[in-house]
Amino acid sequence: MDRKNPIPKVVYFNFLLVFLLLVVVFFPEIRASVGKILGPSRPISASRQTGAVQLQNSFRNVYRVSQEFVVSIRTKKTEMLFDPYAFGKNKDEWVSSLGSGFIIDERGFVLTNYHVIKDAEIIEVILPGDRIYPARYMGSHERADIALLKIPTSAPLKAATLGNSDEIEVGDWAIAVGSPYGLEKTFTLGVVSTKSREDLDETGQTHIQTDTAMNPGSSGGPLLNIYGEVIGINRMIRSASGQSNGIGFAIPINYAKKVLKQIEQNVGQNIRPAVLGVMATVPNPDHRRFLGIPFSAVGVLVYEIEPNSSAHRYNLKKLDFIQTANGTRIRNTNDLREQVGLVGLGGVLRLKLIRDSEEMEISVPLEK
């Protein structure tokens, strides 16, 4: 009598899989228990945190993009150190400091603050991956606190995308990346607190105010928007302790673009602060009627000229109504101050103005 063929083991295995599948489908409690065993659970599921997860991923994206163009800047200079226990044995030693910067051109041009590299004898730029390059000084604008460096490169580098700082609004995300206290690749987050904070210091230029945390070493790094575009250059903080207190200031990138054009025209030089030597104001209706200035005309009225100033030496007069400076419309005294600051000492200010009801143009070299 022939023996029956035994049932193959694979059949039993398939039956077992079907049984387990039915159990998982029809008994969710068991499914949950199996899930806890097979993988870690979260107190709040991702499906309930969709908005937060998307925002978190947005920040991660900005950080990843910024790592390609944010750099650290290390400077060295010699300083005489005084030894209180050895009279006459003072010695020179290298003193290092660290700041931040970012690549603005694939050929290796780096933007930072002037005060980061001021008086430095050696400047080094540290790229992602701890690649260290010697930097060449290309020029600076002292009053604007902006400096341009160049590092050697055999291949194109990833450059930052410069945004439009005129388009920012209070409440927009503001992200700083840099090297506070020498801690490279530090990412801090906040919002734009004020778009155009004026008269913070002697420069008179406007700044973006933000509550994004900044500390010593953050200077020169980029202030980014949620798209990863540079909207400002982190410059300074307002704090009694010298540490972050939720009030930081950045140079608007649109102003920095204007400064860069001046640096490119004065390669290798430090553009120093200049003074025009006038006091001016926006005229009121009575001034306009008396002086014959059209009510539609935009500009500022000169009411005082400093003796022996550039304005005095080059024929600017009281009651001149300045409309443009170097082709830029002058709406108020800050606009005029900005143009004087951009040109700097040794530059020429080309003014279009109304004098005695007649339009004219004059050039004023800015001298000491």
Side-chain angles (χ1 to χ4, degrees):
M1 186 174 176
D2 296 334
R3 290 184 62 188
K4 294 181 179 179
N5 292 329
I7 299 174
K9 291 182 179 180
V10 66
V11 175
Y12 290 110
F13 183 72
N14 288 337
F15 273 118
L16 179 60
L17 287 179
V18 172
F19 175 76
L20 291 175
L21 180 61
L22 293 173
V23 168
V24 169
V25 171
F26 292 103
F27 297 95
E29 296 85 358
I30 297 176
R31 183 169 69 246
S33 299
V34 171
K36 290 180 179 179
I37 295 172
L38 297 179
S41 63
R42 290 180 168 137
I44 305 175
S45 66
S47 62
R48 296 172 59 188
Q49 293 290 80
T50 303
V53 171
Q54 289 177 344
L55 184 59
Q56 176 177 268
N57 288 336
S58 297
F59 296 143
R60 288 178 176 178
N61 291 337
V62 173
Y63 180 74
R64 278 192 287 266
V65 167
S66 71
Q67 293 312 290
E68 298 180 306
F69 57 77
V70 177
V71 302
S72 297
I73 297 176
R74 183 167 58 200
T75 63
K76 297 178 181 179
K77 62 181 178 179
T78 54
E79 287 189 2
M80 181 177 290
L81 300 183
F82 173 71
D83 187 348
Y85 303 104
F87 180 75
K89 293 185 178 181
N90 301 335
K91 59 180 181 179
D92 291 338
E93 286 195 5
W94 285 108
V95 177
S96 298
S97 60
L98 201 65
S100 305
F102 55 98
I103 300 168
I104 61 168
D105 188 283
E106 63 179 11
R107 295 170 294 175
F109 288 95
V110 175
L111 201 60
T112 187
N113 284 144
Y114 170 69
H115 77 260
V116 170
I117 56 95
K118 182 181 180 181
D119 299 327
E121 298 172 46
I122 296 175
I123 306 173
E124 296 174 323
V125 173
I126 306 172
L127 269 62
D130 295 327
R131 295 171 291 166
I132 302 176
Y133 294 89
R136 183 157 56 101
Y137 170 78
M138 298 301 296
S140 58
H141 194 299
E142 186 173 331
R143 189 164 191 166
D145 198 14
I146 292 176
L148 183 65
L149 309 174
K150 174 71 167 64
I151 59 175
T153 175
S154 57
L157 298 174
K158 180 65 176 179
T161 299
L162 305 185
N164 185 350
S165 53
D166 291 340
E167 293 181 348
I168 64 173
E169 297 292 341
V170 173
D172 286 357
W173 291 112
I175 301 163
V177 185
S179 303
Y181 297 114
L183 301 173
E184 300 175 22
K185 304 177 183 179
T186 296
F187 178 101
T188 56
L189 176 69
V191 297
V192 174
S193 304
T194 300
K195 291 174 58 176
S196 302
R197 181 67 70 191
E198 299 179 351
D199 299 325
L200 291 172
D201 58 13
E202 70 283 354
T203 67
Q205 67 193 48
T206 61
H207 289 74
I208 300 170
Q209 181 180 329
T210 175
D211 66 349
T212 306
M214 299 180 195
N215 282 290
S218 297
S219 293
L223 188 69
L224 307 170
N225 61 18
I226 197 64
Y227 308 109
E229 299 170 327
V230 179
I231 56 172
I233 306 172
N234 299 324
R235 181 174 180 237
M236 61 182 179
I237 58 177
R238 180 66 61 87
S239 169
S241 65
Q243 300 176 350
S244 177
N245 198 28
I247 304 178
F249 302 97
I251 302 167
I253 199 62
N254 284 10
Y255 179 72
K257 293 174 185 177
K258 299 176 185 177
V259 173
L260 275 174
K261 291 181 180 178
Q262 295 293 324
I263 293 176
E264 290 169 358
Q265 295 170 11
N266 299 271
V267 175
Q269 300 180 31
N270 175 33
I271 301 173
R272 296 169 57 196
V275 176
L276 178 59
V278 302
M279 299 187 71
T281 186
V282 175
N284 61 35
D286 289 338
H287 291 150
R288 290 178 182 271
R289 279 190 290 268
F290 180 75
L291 298 172
I293 300 172
F295 281 84
S296 59
V298 177
V300 295
L301 183 67
V302 175
Y303 65 86
E304 191 64 58
I305 295 181
E306 183 180 340
N308 299 318
S309 65
S310 295
H312 180 260
R313 286 194 293 268
Y314 291 96
N315 202 35
L316 206 57
K317 305 291 185 182
K318 287 184 181 181
L319 304 182
D320 281 349
F321 181 71
I322 300 173
Q323 295 180 287
T324 69
N326 288 352
T328 299
R329 177 177 288 191
I330 303 301
R331 300 164 299 177
N332 50 49
T333 53
N334 276 337
D335 286 347
L336 181 59
R337 191 186 317 176
E338 179 180 288
Q339 291 304 309
V340 172
L342 282 172
V343 172
L345 193 64
V348 177
L349 203 64
R350 296 180 298 277
L351 302 176
K352 179 181 177 182
L353 52 86
I354 297 176
R355 177 183 296 170
D356 298 328
S357 301
E358 295 184 4
E359 288 191 352
M360 62 184 302
E361 294 185 11
I362 65 172
S363 294
V364 180
L366 299 178
E367 303 173 345
K368 288 185 178 179

